[in-house]
Amino acid sequence: MAVDYAVIVLYLAGMLAMGWWGMRRATSKSDFLVAGRRLGPAMYSGTMAAIVLGGASTIGGVGLGYRYGLSGAWMVFTIGLGLLALSVFFSARIARLKVYTVSEMLDLRYGGSAGLISGVVMWAYTLMLAVTSTLAYATIFDVLFGLDRALAIILGGAIVVAYSTLGGMWSITLTDMVQFVVKTIGVLLLLLPIAVIKAGGFAEMKAQLPDDYFAPLGIGGQTVFTYVLIYSFGMLIGQDIWQRVFTARGDRVARLGGTAAGTYCLVYALAGAVIGTAAKVLYPHLGSPDDAFATIVKDALPVGVRGLVLAAALSAVMSTSSGALIACATVANNDIWARIRGVVRRQSPATDAPHGPDAGPGGAGEPRDEVRGNRVFILLMGLAVIVIALALNNVVEALTVAYNLLVGGLLVPILGGLLWKRGTGAGALASVAVGGLTVVGLMLSLGVLANEPIYYGLLASLVAYVAVSLVTRPTDAAVLDAWRARLAGRPDAAGAEPSVASDPSATTSPAGR
């Protein structure tokens, strides 16, 4: 295993080096949070594919293939479909908004009335997504080094927190490109063909396994429908995904680069299911389907190749973990803390003092160090993620809670804001509250893994949004005019990158920017 260990150690050292390199490029808030909004098509598509294909897509995707056969590809397949829909129909408009968070988009669309509550929901989602990704380190480092679960979580989490804190989105973008290449080589070009050959080829696999393993809907039609609701729609509205869209240097990059990344996800989905099916032939009596990936890597691959494939799994986990972490920190700082700080400043008689909370080293006349503030929040959120991961055991339940809250609470007001001009801020708030409470209540009564919470949560959110919007006054015309100008990418609307949350003392109406 010495060669495999050397591959992994070099890979981890390379991630830290990329973090240091990225720190030299992150000199402004835009650089730190959205890589200066200047990624080209190759880097954009690679990093987008890296963030959406995490540990659940790699280890979990192979596990579903082990349990259900080729239909186990549906979970990752719906992720790819969601990314394709986002890229084709919405990414250009999202990129033109020139904001940093989903909640800022809601503020712009509804006149500053929905940002805080949506920020809290989005923060909870990104936090739990980061936690579930961090938990996956325990499985990988146990296979690699036989490390204790807690030590594995601390080690993996510390590396991600370190390079994310150093350079923000630039560091994460550079590391994600490396991770994308490693995943492509390790999983698609090495593990996939080797696993099929070891299992005797497709003819032998079909001869040894039940027909259900090769049925398109062997996993169940209702399960596929639930995956579409949770993962496809989740791709449309997640802060971690939108923050990557914001890094594109233009509409064309966001649309074409995202389409390439979504197509890659479809291929990756099928590859994971085939690997899992091959593992079922080779190891028919594993204790857990999620052990299939580690088992086939450990037993079927030669020295050196094994280390590279395990590095690919580590890449998958790290890319999602770092993307969720910076999204969580961005929301916490720009959507929650900035608003709280703004309320305190407006209520404090010392607001105009020469050394207020936003003053730089020289007093109120100098702006705050935005990079340093966001860097501090990444560090704080990273520490919180590690602590929660140490206390949590059930990854699937945590991920389900995160996506149910996200889709049940935020899908309708976000898509409604983009597609229906009659939607109002009151309707958006009602939609978030009713959908979120319905999802939470049904998860408590029916169980976290039940399908009904997301079904009825979405329905309740839609009814509340439409009903309240129709009985309340339409959104102010000046707000809608500013919104349309921003969507159109007109210089007078987008040039200065104004942000409700980043300047909480300003008026909440975008018409005054």
Side-chain angles (χ1 to χ4, degrees):
M1 292 288 290
V3 175
D4 296 326
Y5 291 162
V7 171
I8 298 299
V9 171
L10 285 173
Y11 168 76
L12 295 176
M15 295 301 98
L16 292 175
M18 289 290 183
W20 184 262
W21 186 19
M23 182 177 67
R24 300 168 64 89
R25 306 191 66 169
T27 57
S28 68
K29 179 180 179 180
S30 179
D31 285 332
F32 193 82
L33 294 183
V34 290
R37 305 188 194 273
R38 57 180 186 265
L39 296 191
M43 187 167 282
Y44 177 85
S45 59
T47 57
M48 181 63 86
I51 188 178
V52 300
L53 295 173
S57 300
T58 304
I59 298 171
V62 172
L64 287 172
Y66 183 89
R67 184 174 180 182
Y68 298 107
L70 298 185
S71 66
W74 273 109
M75 184 187 78
V76 184
F77 205 82
T78 55
I79 290 174
L81 292 177
L83 184 52
L84 284 171
L86 174 71
S87 301
V88 172
F89 299 112
F90 300 107
S91 63
R93 280 183 282 179
I94 292 171
R96 286 196 293 265
L97 289 174
K98 301 294 184 185
V99 295
Y100 292 103
T101 68
V102 174
S103 295
E104 288 178 28
M105 166 263 171
L106 292 173
D107 273 339
L108 288 169
R109 169 59 180 83
Y110 297 112
S113 59
L116 181 58
I117 186 172
S118 65
V120 172
V121 174
M122 189 64 76
W123 174 78
Y125 156 72
T126 53
L127 180 70
M128 294 310 297
L129 184 61
V131 167
T132 57
S133 300
T134 303
L135 282 168
Y137 296 128
T139 300
I140 297 172
F141 280 111
D142 177 55
V143 174
L144 290 174
F145 308 115
L147 292 182
D148 175 74
R149 174 183 179 275
L151 185 59
I153 289 173
I154 292 172
L155 176 61
I159 292 171
V160 169
V161 171
Y163 73 69
S164 300
T165 302
L166 285 172
M169 186 59 83
W170 267 122
S171 292
I172 292 171
T173 296
L174 295 170
T175 55
D176 277 359
M177 275 306 297
V178 175
Q179 290 160 356
F180 171 74
V181 172
V182 171
K183 268 193 293 196
T184 301
I185 295 173
V187 175
L188 297 184
L189 302 183
L190 293 177
L191 182 58
L192 174 61
I194 291 174
V196 172
I197 292 170
K198 289 279 187 180
F202 286 104
E204 184 66 19
M205 290 162 59
K206 196 163 185 179
Q208 292 199 31
L209 295 173
D211 291 341
D212 286 350
Y213 267 71
F214 301 91
L217 294 177
I219 198 171
Q222 187 179 25
T223 299
V224 174
F225 181 64
T226 303
Y227 283 161
V228 170
L229 287 183
I230 294 178
Y231 297 115
S232 294
F233 286 143
M235 288 294 105
L236 298 180
I237 59 174
Q239 169 67 25
D240 51 326
I241 309 302
W242 276 42
Q243 199 157 343
R244 293 309 174 96
V245 176
F246 300 151
T247 65
R249 72 181 178 207
D251 299 359
R252 183 178 175 84
V253 170
R255 185 170 54 253
L256 298 183
T259 300
T263 304
Y264 179 90
C265 291
L266 303 183
V267 175
Y268 200 87
L270 187 58
V274 172
I275 292 168
T277 305
K280 182 67 176 179
V281 173
L282 295 170
Y283 317 102
H285 304 298
L286 291 179
S288 168
D290 286 339
D291 293 335
F293 181 87
T295 302
I296 196 168
V297 169
K298 193 173 182 180
D299 294 348
L301 300 183
V303 172
V305 173
R306 180 170 51 209
L308 183 59
V309 174
L310 287 173
L314 200 56
S315 297
V317 176
M318 283 187 162
S319 58
T320 299
S321 181
S322 59
L325 177 59
I326 193 171
C328 178
T330 302
V331 170
N333 187 19
N334 292 270
D335 291 336
I336 299 175
W337 172 243
R339 296 169 193 273
I340 295 172
R341 188 181 67 241
V343 170
V344 172
R345 288 178 63 200
R346 287 194 294 272
Q347 294 175 349
S348 172
T351 298
D352 296 326
H355 295 282
D358 282 347
E366 296 183 21
R368 276 186 311 123
D369 184 345
E370 293 278 10
V371 173
R372 182 174 62 185
N374 283 289
R375 185 173 280 137
V376 168
F377 266 85
I378 289 182
L379 179 60
L380 292 175
M381 292 299 103
L383 293 175
V385 164
I386 292 172
V387 170
I388 296 172
L390 289 171
L392 202 63
N393 286 317
N394 196 316
V395 180
V396 175
E397 288 193 359
L399 191 63
T400 302
V401 169
Y403 270 98
N404 279 355
L405 281 174
L406 174 71
V407 176
L410 292 180
L411 177 70
V412 171
I414 291 173
L415 293 188
L418 290 169
L419 300 174
W420 189 40
K421 66 179 181 180
R422 186 60 180 84
T424 66
L429 283 171
S431 179
V432 174
V434 172
L437 290 174
T438 301
V439 165
V440 171
L442 289 176
M443 284 193 295
L444 289 174
S445 61
L446 300 177
V448 170
L449 299 180
N451 291 324
E452 288 80 5
I454 191 61
Y455 296 164
Y456 293 113
L458 268 176
L459 180 61
S461 180
L462 178 61
V463 170
Y465 181 71
V466 173
V468 175
S469 291
L470 290 176
V471 299
T472 53
R473 291 181 59 187
T475 304
D476 185 83
V479 172
L480 286 178
D481 287 344
W483 166 255
R484 294 188 190 102
R486 187 73 74 91
L487 277 179
R490 291 204 289 268
D492 59 324
E497 292 194 3
S499 164
V500 173
S502 61
D503 185 6
S505 62
T507 176
T508 55
S509 172
R513 296 184 204 291

